[in-house]
Amino acid sequence: MLKSKTFVKKTRSGGIMKIVREHYLRDDIWCGSEFCTECKQDESVLQKDACIESNLCVFPHYLLPDTNVVLSQIDILEDPLIKNVIILQTVLQEVRHRSAPIYKRLKDILHDKEKHFYTFTNEHHRETYIEREPGESANDRNDRAIRVSTKWYSDHLKNARTEEGLRIVLLTNDRENKDKSEEAGLLTYRCEEYIKSLIANPELVDRLALTNDDKNDITSSKVLFPEHLPLSRIQSGIKSGTFLQGTFRASRDNYLEATVFVHGEGDESTEVLIQGLQNLNRAVHQDLVAVEMLPQNQWVGPSSVVLQDEGPKDDDVTGDDEEEKALKGAVVGAGPRKPTARVVGIIKRNWRPFCGMLFLSQIKEATRHLFTPADRRIPRIRIETRQASTLAGQRIMVAIDGWPKHSRYPNGHFVRSLGCAGDKETETEVLLLEHDVPHQDFSQAVLSFLPKMPWSITEEDMAVREDLRHLTVCSVDPPGCTDIDDALHCRDLPNGNQEVGVHIADVSHFIRPGNALDQEAASRGTTVYLTGRRIDMVPELLSSNLCSLRCNVERLAFSCIWEINEKAEIIKTRFAKSVINSKASLTYAEAQMRIDDTSMNDDITKSLRGLNRLAKILKRQRIEKGALTLSSPEVRFHIDSETHDPIDLQTKELKDTNSMVEEFMLLANISVAQKIYEEFSECALLRKHPAPPPSNYDILNKAAKSKNLVIHTDSAKALADSLDAARVDNFPYFNTLLRILATRCMMQAVYFCSGMDSDFHHYGLASPIYTHFTSPIRR
Amino acid sequence: MAGLELLSDQGYRLDGRKATELRKVQARMGVFAQADGSAYIEQGNTKALAVVYGPHEVRMSRSKTLHDRAVINCQYSMATFSTAERKRRPHGDRKSTEMSLHLKQTFEAAVLTNLYPRSQIDIYVKILQSDGGNYSACVNAATLAVIDAGIPMRDYVCACTAGFVDETPLADLCHAEESGGGTSLALALLPRGGHIALLQMDARLHQDHLETLMEAAMTACKGVSKVLDQVVRQHLQEVSALTGE
């Protein structure tokens, strides 16, 4: 028999569409019961002997739950005790519509043969299909359908019964439904009373979920989060002091916790803790938010629990509530209480496209899926896409559109796909995007400012520069380095002192201030070195060729030349723009070999030996002043030349030559700093490293105390000495570990202008003044 | 909100059919008195009307005349009210021209054109309501119309669509199933000999599944041919009863 279903739907653009669908009714849908002799089914799912021991229903019976019972009590249905249950197609479809995870669990139960759950396609059965009456709501119609099916089942099996009656028990929590079905003569119980009647299994009562059963709360747009206040309210609140403004930083380890850095006067910024989903109120990492402090009795300490947002949740917060309670439980007694607040409004969103992977929905034909970003501080994003199956194993980029207050996750859209996950190219791309490294090719505008090849030094350039092409200058760099920033030379002077020169590539000759090339380099900020790939700050023509101090070619440089005596004291310093001709581009290993090889005695080797000797003295002097040698283990990958896959891993060893180059670079930077401060005392660009406050050293002290060692942190020298002395027998790596920890305690070094501050001290290098002058190609 | 479930675990589709079942087919021949042949078919909610004029002299462009056989001229169009949203341009859009071409190819294979050299046979088909399987309904309607016009054909031409969901082939797709993004294949068959007049699919399908899909479509077409046959015989009976034979 053919019926037709007509309903009106609202389209995305706001129009109205009338949908007409055919609806066939069949007579060959069987009841699925073993008991039944009428139905010609192939295999019966519901058993004849369906007995669950209950003092309400002492006879064999089948259970028939309605939608709300399934949605709220899915745990009970999953229990192995509950068998022989009829799930109607109406109920199944409604569950699918309202909750994907519960739908999946229900389907798993249906597939489990041991549970004897049967799906009855009541919508297409001629006798159990009903049409909506005028004035009846959709929910009422579904409830009526359930009642009609129950009645049909009872009558159907009544005919088939022999001695003991096989009854159908309707489980519903809805009072109206219950009343109406009892009027119709059906056996109905509330889920609670039925479960409590199972005397043989009292533990099932524990699995009962508490529900709000009197109201038919089917609307999925529950308000989960408090409203954001309008901008005017926020601004007046900040002015009056009720609210504070700050940057929102999500916690990497705990998705229910975050800190807001409130901007105070000057450099100060106080940290305020935010805990709990409601208090977080839809703020995303790096947004500018307005917070309201909570009263002191509600302050909490930062939790020591690591929590991750697991699994796709529904639009309700019940799952998160449990975790929040666990969080609060763990917090009591963890760490000191910190000022706590809650987010009342967002001043400025700071959303960008995020990289990550798609987490497919449980329902096959679903178009909405959850996207998990690579950065753990960003929440999952719900996106709508039809190409979910193609995107499943790939890294994709998704941008957030908004976060409505009834939705557990923000909504977003797919931007583009980056490639298969695990593929080296894709992962590199993800890395660069996540850390905001500009890595596109240089634009035409930028490239237009490069000098035309072939380039050579012109007469005018020579006229204003010192000609140092005759000096035995050499450069020492890591193997495979093409951007050579610096070169050194050392030669004996007739008066017994030595002349040492550090020559830095003259990049400012090629990049004039303000042009596109300068701006692009400024925006990139630095050259990024990845294994097997290097993303240049300036185009390759400059970085690897014209600026780079390659050997046996004339190059423009900026030289810093000292006259140093044998005790490594500086007698004279002078600076000059120059032209050099490097005689050799050595690697650290090659330079070391030359120094050690007593048979080699050419100019380059003699120069290297001189530099090495002086460097050692300089280093000793620095250490006496309290310079820190902290350990940042650097590893080096060996890449197979054919497959470009890493085949070996080695930690970089520090040779004498590494430290030799380092010493002279430091010396050059210090000398330049002194000179520019002399000349431009109000506006010299310097670099300082403030001493860390004693509280920063807490973790270092804790670690050292665990091995009964003491680290003195009052001055840099004391720290350096106690780090040297801190050794444990049979645990040689301990010293390296302590040094790594010490690195974590340090403050960040900063650039500053000499006129704005009076303290120039560089703590880590134990130098009264410092700047960055060397390595201009990559900084 | 999830998409529609095209095939439930119990084996029922959206409208309650099983995977191999066809929609309800109702057809009538001789609906228009003025045309040489006409037919109206309803396949589920898809309603198509076909009208045949001919064979007659080639009207437009004399050059198209073929010396040994008849030219078949097809035109396919959809009524503006046939889809859920009103269509702006019912004629001349790419879909219509493509469909017309397909119909022409199909009928050139089936109609015995060499019996009518230098003439033209016009077949006009209009979709009054579109709910999936437009092409199949057109072909079926056109077959009946050609038979009504008395033009000899090799065999009935029956068409049906078939789709693929979850390793199961579905026969006779409705609009929701076609637009769900899955595969959909249209097949026009001459059932007695099993000759395929037209096979059309624009979706991605693994080649292993092609055999099964075609089998399903062919079985469905044979089902349709039975219905069409029934309709023709009934019509003949009515006509002969009216003319008093």
Side-chain angles (χ1 to χ4, degrees), chain A residues 22 24 26 96 103 107 119, chain B residues 3 9-10 15-16 21 24:
Chain A
E22 303 168 87
Y24 289 101
R26 314 179 68 99
R96 180 173 189 266
Y103 176 69
K107 283 200 90 162
T119 314
Chain B
D9 282 339
Q10 308 289 101
D15 45 13
E21 287 176 356
K24 185 165 185 183

Side-chain angles (χ1 to χ4, degrees), chain A residues 469-476 487-492 498 551-552 581-587 590-597 599-613 657 660:
Chain A
R469 290 175 290 182
H470 58 281
L471 291 177
T472 4
V473 174
C474 63
S475 63
V476 187
L488 307 150
H489 87 272
C490 168
R491 63 173 180 170
D492 296 326
Q498 283 177 305
C551 61
N552 302 321
N581 190 327
S582 167
K583 301 291 180 282
S585 310
L586 304 167
T587 65
E590 281 172 15
Q592 188 63 49
M593 252 178 18
R594 281 190 177 220
I595 295 177
D596 296 335
D597 189 351
S599 67
M600 295 193 81
N601 269 315
D602 56 331
D603 281 338
I604 299 179
T605 318
K606 279 209 277 209
S607 159
L608 286 171
R609 288 200 188 118
L611 289 167
N612 200 12
R613 191 186 68 86
T657 36
M660 171 182 91

Side-chain angles (χ1 to χ4, degrees), chain B residues 181-199:
Chain B
T183 341
S184 116
L185 174 126
L187 181 80
L189 186 75
L190 277 68
R192 248 188 299 224
H195 302 294
I196 298 178
L198 188 121
L199 176 65

